[in-house]
Amino acid sequence: MKKELRKAVIAGNWKMNKNPEEAKQLLSEIAPLVKDAGCEVIACVPYIDLYAALEATKGTNVKIGAENCYWEKSGAFTGEVSAKMLADIGVPYVIIGHSERRTYFGDTDATVQKRVRGALDEGLTVILCVGEYLEQRELGITAEIVSMQTKIALQGVSEEELKRLIIAYEPVWAIGTGKTATADQAQEVCKLIRDVVAGLYTKEAADALTIQYGGSMNAKNAQELLSKEDVDGGLIGGASLKAPDFAAIVEAATKG
Ligand code: PGA
């Protein structure tokens, strides 16, 4: 119904994989396979690969993103990379609030909000991840958790800035486990996120927001997930490291 208002976005999340040489190789395999994509195609890569990835995708329709960023512009923050540093080298996208950052590296709803703010301030487009743990789903509090994560992260984000934000619904129990949410489960939560955004902003803003599903999306299940009304794309981990699989997902998104 409203799907035509939004751009489908397929983003790879390479996580802690590939050195710069390997990144160049993989991107050179991906680029020709997705050159006619009817959706946006992004590869989010480790910091160390960003330069090589930007270089390797020049003149192609593959865009590059980072996997995290810090909100301060510069200073005594050993080991961090700022949103400004990403913007300075021409990185257009950044993933924020991935469950692995939340689970292993202490990211909280409050720090996710600061990262979102910092990234938007530098002109980046944010892929904001939200999603529940298995115990939370079993407790029946998925809607509460995902609404809370969304509301806190969007605190202080204007309706204009929302145009530079994508939300990825990633149930934590589906990430890297081979256990995909059913298309109906994905649809239900993506719709819920859209309703939350409509409540915070306007229906128009919510209808224009790209909402991805992530969690064991692959060449086989992508079509069904992406056919759902409120699922506008995917954030792809494992399958983004294999060019033919990633290209098949892009193809599925192109079909819609
Ligand atoms: P997966 O990862 O596709 O390997 O489950 C998705 C993600 O973590 O973004």
Side-chain angles (χ1 to χ4, degrees), residues 62-136:
V62 180
K63 311 257 174 51
I64 297 301
E67 299 175 10
N68 186 31
C69 67
Y70 194 59
W71 56 87
E72 295 287 351
K73 290 184 195 306
S74 62
F77 302 103
T78 303
E80 287 302 292
V81 171
S82 70
K84 181 176 187 314
M85 289 165 145
L86 298 177
D88 283 350
I89 66 162
V91 173
Y93 290 89
V94 62
I95 298 173
I96 293 179
H98 190 277
S99 66
E100 284 149 20
R101 301 298 317 171
R102 295 178 192 253
T103 304
Y104 306 130
F105 303 102
D107 231 356
T108 63
D109 288 330
T111 58
V112 166
Q113 187 270 335
K114 287 184 174 190
R115 289 181 214 281
V116 169
R117 185 66 265 150
L120 290 173
D121 283 345
E122 295 301 332
L124 301 178
T125 295
V126 170
I127 300 176
L128 165 69
C129 300
V130 297
E132 81 288 359
Y133 287 101
L134 184 58
E135 310 83 76
Q136 294 169 328

Side-chain angles (χ1 to χ4, degrees), residues 13 15 98 100 170 174-177 214-217 235-239:
N13 172 12
K15 309 193 178 189
H98 190 277
E100 284 149 20
E170 298 209 308
I175 295 178
T177 57
S216 300
M217 193 189 269
L235 184 56
I236 324 295

Side-chain angles (χ1 to χ4, degrees), residues 39 43 48 59 61 63 142-143 162 168 172 185 204-205 213 217-219 223 227 236 243-244:
C39 63
I48 194 173
N61 58 332
K63 311 257 174 51
T142 298
L162 196 66
V172 184
Q185 286 172 324
E204 293 69 46
Y213 167 79
M217 193 189 269
N218 58 40
Q223 188 78 70
S227 70
I236 324 295

